Amino acid sequence: HKKFLENALKGAESSVSHLEKQSERVQQAHERELGLMFDESIAMRSEMEYKSTELILENQRMKDEIGTYTVVEEQNKMLRRALDKQHKEAEEEATRLKKELHDLKESVIEHKNKLQKEFRLRLQAMSTTMHDEVLQAYKKERSHGHGGIG
């Protein structure tokens, strides 16, 4: 019976030894797998950090671009306001010059009419004076001529 127990004990020790070796292999496999998973997680983390940095930089670039567009838009508004102001001033100047030209034309016409009226009055006065002188000369000549002849 002792032999049987010794064989059973050896069999049990062999099974335990086999189970311990198998357990050790499984544990080593698990450790290798955990190591691979850890390495993969580190690689994934690095990739995610890289993508995050890339997105942050792209976001900043877009913000800078928006800032640039905002500045350009503001400058465009300023230029439009300046252009509108210049256009309005040019229109006002053109209107003022048209009125000035119109007033000048009216003044010239008025002056021309005064000159024509004055010329007619002087011509009429000269005509009357000449008529009177001619009439007096005629009367004088008639009275001298008539008296001399008669």
Side-chain angles (χ1 to χ4, degrees), residues 56-73:
I56 289 169
L57 291 173
E58 179 66 11
N59 188 355
Q60 187 59 47
R61 185 194 65 78
M62 289 178 157
K63 284 179 181 176
D64 292 345
E65 206 170 291
I66 288 171
T68 301
Y69 288 138
T70 303
V71 168
V72 168
E73 183 181 8

Side-chain angles (χ1 to χ4, degrees), residues 86-102:
Q86 263 189 337
H87 186 69
K88 185 179 178 187
E89 287 173 359
E91 283 180 346
E92 288 172 355
E93 181 69 7
T95 301
R96 187 188 65 74
L97 288 174
K98 280 181 185 175
K99 183 184 180 327
E100 205 173 286
L101 186 61
H102 180 264

Side-chain angles (χ1 to χ4, degrees), residues 27-142:
Q27 187 175 349
Q28 286 174 355
H30 279 293
E31 284 176 5
R32 279 194 306 273
E33 197 171 317
L34 281 174
L36 286 174
M37 288 174 70
F38 182 73
D39 291 347
E40 283 179 11
S41 77
I42 288 175
M44 286 175 69
R45 183 174 178 190
S46 293
E47 186 177 339
M48 290 174 86
E49 285 175 355
Y50 173 79
K51 286 186 177 185
S52 172
T53 302
E54 198 174 51
L55 288 172
I56 289 169
L57 291 173
E58 179 66 11
N59 188 355
Q60 187 59 47
R61 185 194 65 78
M62 289 178 157
K63 284 179 181 176
D64 292 345
E65 206 170 291
I66 288 171
T68 301
Y69 288 138
T70 303
V71 168
V72 168
E73 183 181 8
E74 197 54 42
Q75 288 175 342
N76 194 12
K77 284 179 185 176
M78 285 172 43
L79 287 172
R80 281 196 177 143
R81 283 193 294 266
L83 190 60
D84 288 346
K85 183 181 175 189
Q86 263 189 337
H87 186 69
K88 185 179 178 187
E89 287 173 359
E91 283 180 346
E92 288 172 355
E93 181 69 7
T95 301
R96 187 188 65 74
L97 288 174
K98 280 181 185 175
K99 183 184 180 327
E100 205 173 286
L101 186 61
H102 180 264
D103 291 350
L104 186 61
K105 283 181 181 178
E106 279 188 0
S107 176
V108 166
I109 290 170
E110 187 179 318
H111 189 66
K112 180 182 158 192
N113 288 340
K114 282 181 183 177
L115 287 175
Q116 285 177 343
K117 185 177 181 182
E118 189 177 326
F119 179 73
R120 280 194 301 272
L121 288 173
R122 285 189 180 182
L123 190 60
Q124 196 175 29
M126 279 177 51
S127 179
T128 303
T129 304
M130 284 178 68
H131 182 267
D132 287 349
E133 287 176 3
V134 167
L135 190 58
Q136 282 179 357
Y138 173 73
K139 285 181 180 178
K140 212 180 216 184
E141 192 179 304
R142 205 166 150 209

